[in-house]
Amino acid sequence: MAYSSKYLENLKEGKEFEEYCYRWLEFEKRTRIESCKDLQTQVQVGENWFGIEFKLDKNFRRTGNLYIEIKERSAVHLRYTEAGIYRNDNTFLYAIGDKQSLYVFDKQRLRAYHEWSESHSSISRHKQ
């Protein structure tokens, strides 16, 4: 499969951030987490055996918003697939931020909030 250069660059930056978080947890909090290295294990288990997904958000300092991933596609011609908080794996924590700040959320609460906000935003759109 041919991935777009933007997808590959974002993937590289995301993996570097994930490794940074692993090392920070190990040295600052004495918590060792190892990533699942091969694709098959990542699909079956998740990003790591601990159950936390790390996401780099390069824009939240500028925008004041966190981008919570729900779908992804690796190239423009491909369909979107469930990702982030909707990925079906062992993840129960979703950590997002940058090297200066990291916000950790319960994945089920993020899903519930997303579903609630979607149902309420469609109601307000119909009222207009």
Side-chain angles (χ1 to χ4, degrees), residues 65-82:
N65 300 310
L66 290 171
Y67 172 78
I68 306 296
E69 183 182 43
I70 60 171
K71 292 187 181 277
E72 71 178 354
R73 65 180 178 179
S74 54
V76 177
H77 67 279
L78 296 176
R79 302 180 96 188
Y80 281 96
T81 59
E82 290 188 338

Side-chain angles (χ1 to χ4, degrees), residues 58-102:
K58 298 184 288 188
N59 296 316
F60 87 94
R61 291 195 181 279
R62 180 178 52 79
T63 65
N65 300 310
L66 290 171
Y67 172 78
I68 306 296
E69 183 182 43
I70 60 171
K71 292 187 181 277
E72 71 178 354
R73 65 180 178 179
S74 54
V76 177
H77 67 279
L78 296 176
R79 302 180 96 188
Y80 281 96
T81 59
E82 290 188 338
I85 62 172
Y86 285 103
R87 185 181 311 262
N88 187 18
D89 59 14
N90 73 332
T91 303
F92 70 101
L93 294 174
Y94 190 87
I96 184 167
D98 61 18
K99 289 183 177 181
Q100 295 158 354
S101 301
L102 188 67

Side-chain angles (χ1 to χ4, degrees), residues 3 9 14 20 25 49 68 97 111:
Y3 296 111
E9 179 61 29
Y20 172 85
L25 284 168
W49 291 94
I68 306 296
R111 279 184 181 181

